[in-house]
Amino acid sequence: MSMLTINLDKTNYTIFSPTCATSVSNTSLHIGTNIITPTACCKYLGIFIDSKLQFKDHIDFVYKKLLKFCSIFFKMRDLLPKECLKMVYYSFVHTHLLYAIEIYANTFNSYLDGLSVLNNKLIRILFTKNRFTHVKDLYDITGSLPISKLHDFNILMFVHKCIYCSSSLPEVFTDYFLQSQLNVKYSSRRRYDLYIKQFNTSTGKKNIQVKGSILWNSLPEKLKCQSNSWSFKRDLRLYLLNNDSDV
């Protein structure tokens, strides 16, 4: 019978706090006689998680990973047809941006600016577009969305699944989003709205339950009433892309 053991050389701990007030200087953690070292950032399941949950380290990691493709795309863009270039973008760029975007992009837009600019640049290079090409046109070519909107898109897809396909999710998400009591009073205009939990801090506003409900309630009624996931996904992307904010 085998037993799971902890590799103490690779074990650290982090105290999570949205401010600088929390200090680990007076904290001591031991496993037996071994002292566990504190760390401000660690990699878990492919994402760098920092003690302030700002994800700057992960964003920098993705940025450096994608930066190398600038020169590669310059060399290959004239060798492949458009459809193949689109496959290249999704395979080598979009896949890195999409991974855990619900988590790492739930931060300040200023932290995402560099990565967003690089993503736009990579699309311009790959599809031979000049710097005056509108961002919306770039994402029409790829069929994707800017990073901030891709974050909203994935959260809204999660909300839609919780509402219309909860049986395909773990039981913990059965009542994750609740209908607003306003749908009783405004049965026609607000019947698809969700209850928004109260929050007093910017950190509370970033909670997925809160943010997801706010984003969902801001959608047009014709989107919120669509139970078919494929139709919702298609129309949601177009709605977010055509909404000029952050594009």
Side-chain angles (χ1 to χ4, degrees):
M1 180 179 178
S2 61
M3 298 181 65
L4 181 66
T5 58
I6 298 175
N7 187 333
L8 296 174
D9 294 330
K10 296 182 179 180
T11 300
N12 303 100
Y13 74 91
T14 299
I15 297 178
F16 295 100
S17 171
T19 67
C20 299
T22 304
S23 173
V24 298
S25 58
N26 298 322
T27 304
S28 180
L29 185 63
H30 298 74
I31 295 181
T33 59
N34 297 278
I35 300 176
I36 306 303
T37 307
T39 181
C41 181
C42 66
K43 188 177 183 180
Y44 181 70
L45 297 178
I47 182 169
F48 288 89
I49 305 175
D50 61 274
S51 59
K52 297 180 183 179
L53 299 178
Q54 294 178 342
F55 299 101
K56 292 176 68 176
D57 294 272
H58 184 77
I59 293 168
D60 289 342
F61 171 75
V62 177
Y63 181 92
K64 292 174 183 177
K65 180 175 285 190
L66 298 184
L67 187 60
K68 65 183 179 183
F69 290 111
C70 289
S71 58
I72 296 174
F73 286 178
F74 260 121
K75 296 174 182 177
M76 67 183 304
R77 64 183 182 182
D78 296 326
L79 304 176
L80 298 172
K82 182 179 177 179
E83 285 304 311
C84 290
L85 293 176
K86 188 175 178 179
M87 292 174 62
V88 167
Y89 172 77
Y90 272 86
S91 298
F92 295 101
V93 178
H94 190 266
T95 184
H96 293 299
L97 296 176
L98 192 62
Y99 182 72
I101 194 170
E102 301 91 338
I103 299 172
Y104 81 79
N106 196 14
T107 186
F108 301 105
N109 286 334
S110 58
Y111 294 164
L112 293 168
D113 285 345
L115 187 59
S116 297
V117 171
L118 176 60
N119 188 35
N120 295 342
K121 181 179 180 179
L122 288 168
I123 297 174
R124 286 190 171 96
I125 292 172
L126 193 60
F127 294 95
T128 321
K129 300 297 179 180
N130 60 52
R131 61 190 182 92
F132 299 107
T133 304
H134 196 278
V135 173
K136 179 180 178 298
D137 296 330
L138 297 178
Y139 289 95
D140 271 333
I141 296 171
T142 60
S144 182
L145 290 165
I147 293 174
S148 61
K149 290 181 178 290
L150 194 60
H151 168 69
D152 293 347
F153 176 85
N154 278 268
I155 290 179
L156 286 166
M157 288 301 301
F158 172 63
V159 176
H160 185 272
K161 180 172 281 190
C162 286
I163 295 173
Y164 292 107
C165 305
S166 60
S167 60
S168 64
L169 294 171
E171 189 176 346
V172 68
F173 295 116
T174 301
D175 297 319
Y176 200 68
F177 296 100
L178 301 175
Q179 284 191 320
S180 171
Q181 294 180 354
L182 291 174
N183 61 11
V184 177
K185 186 176 181 180
Y186 304 99
S187 58
S188 60
R189 185 163 56 91
R190 308 291 293 273
R191 58 179 173 171
Y192 296 105
D193 280 8
L194 299 175
Y195 170 72
I196 299 175
K197 291 186 176 181
Q198 298 300 312
F199 54 88
N200 298 318
T201 64
S202 58
T203 303
K205 188 177 180 179
K206 292 178 182 179
N207 182 288
I208 294 298
Q209 280 181 299
V210 174
K211 191 169 187 176
S213 297
I214 293 174
L215 289 171
W216 180 266
N217 290 355
S218 69
L219 293 177
E221 291 296 307
K222 64 179 181 180
L223 269 176
K224 288 186 282 189
C225 70
Q226 285 192 27
S227 59
N228 183 276
S229 59
W230 185 89
S231 299
F232 178 77
K233 182 177 182 179
R234 177 199 61 201
D235 295 342
L236 177 62
R237 191 195 76 83
L238 292 175
Y239 170 77
L240 292 175
L241 185 62
N242 290 322
N243 188 339
D244 290 337
S245 62
D246 297 328
V247 173

